[in-house]
Amino acid sequence: MTAKYAAPLADLRFALHDVLGVDELFKRLPGFEETTRDVVDAVLDEAAKFTEHVLAPLNQSGDAEGCHFDPATASVKTPAGFRAAYAQYVENGWAGLTSPAAFGGQAMPQTLGAAVKEMLDSANLSWGNYPLLSHGATEALLQHGEDWQREAFLKPIVEGRWTGTMCLTEPHCGTDLGLLKTKAEPAEDGSYRISGTKIFITAGEHDLTENIVHLVLARLPDAPAGVKGISLFVVPKFKVGRDGALGARNALACGAIEHKMGIRASATCTMNFDGADGYLVGQPNKGLAAMFTMMNTARLAVGLQGLSLTERAYQNSLAYARERLQMRALAGAKFPDKPADPLIVHPDIRRMLLTQKAFAEGGRLLALYAYTHEDIAKHSPDAAERERAEAIVSFLTPIVKALLTESANECTYHALQIFGGHGYIVEHGMEQFARDARITTLYEGTTQIQALDLLGRKVLQFQGVGLKHFLLEISAFCEKHAEDAALGEFIAPLAAATKAWSEITMEVAKRAATNPEEMGAAAYDYLFFSGYVALAYFWARAVATAQSSRPDIAEAKTQTARFYFARLLPRIGTHAGAIRAGASTLLDMPDASFG
Ligand SMILES: Cc1cc2nc3c(=O)[nH]c(=O)nc-3n(C[C@H](O)[C@H](O)[C@H](O)COP(=O)(O)OP(=O)(O)OC[C@H]3O[C@@H](n4cnc5c(N)ncnc54)[C@H](O)[C@@H]3O)c2cc1C
């Protein structure tokens, strides 16, 4: 038995059309008027076919085979089938789905791109990593590149003929990019010579495209120390002239690929730059800000990776729980004609299934909601609406990234557990989901970094603008449904949790004002407190929508929301307790006493 995948089209449509109302939204956002309900559904259908039939069958074989590195040619060969799948992806126009029409893209909403991306990653997370960073590179060049850079680099990336990478990490620095050493020496013709070693570069080298465009952080000779002295450069594998002409091989090469716990078919490369030709993107010493354009895009995308694994693990563990016969239900046989009852009758199996369902469907709403705000922030004709949307998506990005990836680790663990010992056996594919999920809390900023970003920057430094908008939206929802008897069981606890969220934010802010360690000590629990309340809001919205307009799924949504409110939302109590325990419970322990 191998792991199956069926694109969750019904729930994606429920999320997009029914709950988030994208039909109306796209109609009023200039540029998206033609992305009608029919278009959205057609794109989802085609993505489902491609992911189910082309990518999903390569997931386990790709994991078993891994990538091949040839030191003699410094080349990387992807596993069997990956090249053909990529060619089909390009031929079908997926590479430019959300990219600007001016560069050959289809200019569709990011929200729709996110729905497609969830499917790509569920089907084959490793494969999905090859085109992943092209999207971020497109955004970075669009926002910060010079005209000729956009002309030369974007069209081939949008067409899928080239892919992008993000080269930040060095052996001695990952989180603390202020320590990076890669150098950029100015040349007479206005270009730069880039020298240094980058490690862990996703898709740094591969055989899917004719060229690879590296976006590299490096230091100019006179750069100040720390993060204020970092600049961004575009450095292609094959040189690219200002007229866009492809030239000779650049002075950079893959030195090795990593052997990893998961995503084994995704090439993770050491990249050596030996005086490679590169061009400055944006302003000197402002590279980190430019790279953040790419990182924010990638952070939301990694949140989707977590969601995608939760979804696929859930599908497989649900099918297994229905088929596998073990023991009898405690209150007596439910299937007396069978030798034993299926696993799904047992309460604890249902706990694990419902946990996955709650994170998958609630997480999908959270992620897609964030993407609708990305679309609003870029396309709304109303400046105030754009500003509000920008604040919300910026605030939610660390929550989407950390909550959906940490919960993917929990959910893939539950899915494996439902398979019992068979979950531990490679052929079923469940252990691969657990291994693949592990990276998602690490790359694109670890969970700790997301937590510091949320509390330190988004809430404390920027006075919680996004949080305030989001809290107001939840309060308005609670008020609107205050008299709705059918929703009563959710509205009161949601309103209480939202109030508690405001209060705990004030408490942390007050404590952090006198002792900055309080912020660091609270950040992780604050992020999860926030994430669970946000998910409660989306579960209440799902129920409200299903009860009013989708009687076919109202029972399923209501029961899952009941489970969420009764058994997952109370985790905020534990997080609040940890936050209130303060920094001293972590910092009073002398280093020497750790043992
Ligand atoms: C498979 C894979 C693919 C990757 N792809 C890319 C890529 O394409 N491009 C790229 O540039 N990088 C990539 N990375 C690198 C990745 O982003 C880094 O590994 C990550 O940012 C963490 O850096 P580090 O490994 O150096 O850990 P460190 O920075 O050494 O951190 C170690 C631990 O300390 C914690 N920590 C650090 N500072 C703090 C703090 N102030 N407070 C609390 N905790 C803290 C971290 O959360 C972490 O748990 C990839 C890594 C892997 C494994």
Side-chain angles (χ1 to χ4, degrees):
M1 178 186 169
T2 54
K4 304 269 188 312
Y5 177 61
L9 288 173
D11 200 60
L12 277 165
R13 289 194 170 114
F14 171 69
L16 291 169
H17 299 309
D18 299 324
V19 182
L20 299 173
V22 300
D23 307 351
E24 284 309 307
L25 177 68
F26 296 161
K27 216 181 278 173
R28 72 177 179 81
L29 292 182
F32 295 153
E33 303 89 341
E34 286 171 19
T35 313
T36 59
R37 190 181 184 110
D38 288 351
V39 171
V40 169
D41 286 345
V43 169
L44 295 178
D45 285 340
E46 286 307 310
K49 280 186 217 152
F50 176 65
T51 55
E52 289 172 0
H53 302 302
V54 179
L55 294 185
L58 300 175
N59 194 40
Q60 278 169 275
S61 57
D63 179 64
E65 184 186 338
C67 289
H68 310 273
F69 175 63
D70 177 1
T73 55
S75 62
V76 172
K77 191 167 164 286
T78 54
F82 272 43
R83 265 173 74 83
Y86 188 80
Q88 203 170 325
Y89 170 85
V90 172
E91 199 176 315
N92 295 349
W94 292 114
L97 186 71
T98 58
S99 308
F103 300 100
Q106 297 174 58
M108 293 216 183
Q110 300 291 347
T111 310
L112 183 55
V116 171
K117 177 152 178 49
E118 182 205 313
M119 293 187 244
L120 294 175
D121 291 337
S122 280
N124 196 324
L125 186 61
S126 281
W127 187 93
N129 263 347
Y130 290 97
L132 169 73
L133 294 165
S134 296
H135 188 60
T138 305
E139 287 296 313
L141 287 167
L142 268 176
Q143 289 192 32
H144 307 284
E146 294 174 26
D147 285 347
W148 78 264
Q149 292 172 345
R150 282 194 280 268
E151 288 300 323
F153 290 101
L154 284 186
K155 204 155 179 281
I157 293 178
V158 169
E159 285 172 358
R161 289 189 287 117
W162 303 355
T163 54
T165 74
M166 204 167 114
C167 295
L168 284 65
T169 307
E170 298 181 6
H172 60 285
C173 75
T175 303
D176 191 352
L177 293 170
L179 301 172
L180 74 80
K181 290 182 184 159
T182 297
K183 284 195 221 140
E185 299 281 347
E188 281 183 2
D189 63 357
S191 67
Y192 293 83
R193 300 289 166 270
I194 313 295
S195 304
T197 297
K198 297 285 179 180
I199 62 163
F200 296 167
I201 304 308
T202 297
E205 176 59 37
H206 59 74
D207 58 356
L208 303 183
T209 54
E210 67 197 45
N211 203 2
I212 300 174
V213 179
H214 303 284
L215 281 152
V216 184
L217 288 183
R219 282 184 190 289
L220 293 166
D222 53 353
V227 288
K228 293 199 169 127
I230 299 175
S231 306
L232 180 64
F233 298 86
V234 57
V235 191
K237 172 177 164 183
F238 285 93
K239 293 184 190 177
V240 176
R242 286 175 187 262
D243 56 357
L246 206 56
R249 185 69 202 244
N250 209 347
L252 65 95
C254 176
I257 58 173
E258 303 295 342
H259 300 279
K260 310 192 293 291
M261 173 179 179
I263 55 162
R264 288 182 175 159
S266 165
T268 305
C269 307
T270 298
M271 298 302 302
N272 298 316
F273 295 85
D274 297 313
D277 286 15
Y279 302 98
L280 182 68
V281 178
Q283 298 302 310
N285 302 327
K286 300 269 188 254
L288 206 56
M291 190 56 112
F292 256 104
T293 305
M294 205 168 168
M295 287 200 291
N296 283 334
T297 305
R299 284 176 176 184
L300 281 179
V302 174
L304 286 176
Q305 295 191 337
L307 166 66
S308 75
L309 290 171
T310 298
E311 169 63 36
R312 189 160 182 195
Y314 173 57
Q315 288 185 11
N316 282 274
S317 59
L318 174 62
Y320 194 76
R322 290 191 199 284
E323 283 162 20
R324 175 79 171 169
L325 306 179
Q326 281 310 283
M327 310 269 292
R328 288 292 182 193
L330 292 167
K334 294 223 169 135
F335 294 83
D337 53 320
K338 295 189 173 166
D341 283 337
L343 292 175
I344 197 167
V345 306
H346 303 307
D348 204 57
I349 294 288
R350 298 173 85 89
R351 173 185 63 81
M352 294 188 281
L353 289 172
L354 280 161
T355 301
Q356 295 177 69
K357 187 172 169 66
F359 276 122
E361 295 174 12
R364 179 169 297 122
L365 279 174
L366 166 67
L368 292 176
Y369 170 92
Y371 276 99
T372 58
H373 285 74
E374 181 114 321
D375 285 326
I376 296 168
K378 293 219 177 88
H379 290 263
S380 171
D382 176 349
E385 192 190 26
R386 282 201 305 274
E387 208 174 299
R388 176 184 178 275
E390 174 67 45
I392 288 184
V393 73
S394 155
F395 169 70
L396 285 180
T397 296
I399 298 179
V400 170
K401 195 317 186 157
L403 184 74
L404 300 192
T405 58
E406 290 286 348
S407 60
N409 280 276
E410 176 179 349
C411 291
T412 52
Y413 171 97
H414 290 322
L416 189 156
Q417 187 76 7
I418 289 170
F419 272 70
H422 301 274
Y424 200 67
I425 305 302
V426 171
E427 73 176 279
H428 296 291
M430 302 310 288
E431 55 82 51
Q432 184 188 347
F433 299 140
R435 285 189 285 105
D436 285 356
R438 196 63 193 85
I439 186 61
T440 61
T441 69
L442 297 166
Y443 60 15
E444 289 313 332
T446 58
T447 299
Q448 287 68 35
I449 292 316
Q450 304 305 323
L452 293 175
D453 180 44
L454 179 73
L455 184 56
R457 290 182 72 239
K458 310 285 165 68
V459 174
L460 299 181
Q461 193 180 334
F462 303 151
Q463 280 88 39
V465 185
L467 170 65
K468 281 178 202 150
H469 287 305
F470 194 58
L471 288 172
L472 280 176
E473 181 174 319
I474 303 179
S475 300
F477 173 84
C478 291
E479 265 169 44
K480 182 175 164 203
H481 294 280
E483 305 301 322
D484 188 340
L487 274 185
E489 62 183 300
F490 304 117
I491 298 301
L494 175 60
T498 310
K499 186 163 168 278
W501 192 6
S502 295
E503 287 167 0
I504 208 139
T505 305
M506 301 301 281
E507 277 181 47
V508 174
K510 214 165 143 192
R511 282 216 304 265
T514 51
N515 178 8
E517 299 285 15
E518 292 290 347
M519 189 279 288
Y524 171 88
D525 289 285
Y526 182 82
L527 186 145
F528 286 94
F529 188 110
S530 308
Y532 282 111
V533 183
L535 273 198
Y537 169 54
F538 289 109
W539 267 111
R541 276 185 70 173
V543 175
T545 305
Q547 288 189 353
S548 66
S549 59
R550 290 290 305 274
D552 56 322
I553 54 170
E555 174 75 18
K557 290 292 177 191
T558 306
Q559 290 296 347
T560 312
R562 268 186 198 138
F563 169 84
Y564 181 81
F565 273 75
R567 285 180 171 258
L568 296 181
L569 183 59
R571 291 182 183 180
I572 62 173
T574 307
H575 290 300
I579 293 169
R580 294 202 167 102
S584 62
T585 48
L586 300 173
L587 298 181
D588 285 358
M589 173 100 160
D591 290 1
S593 301
F594 277 95

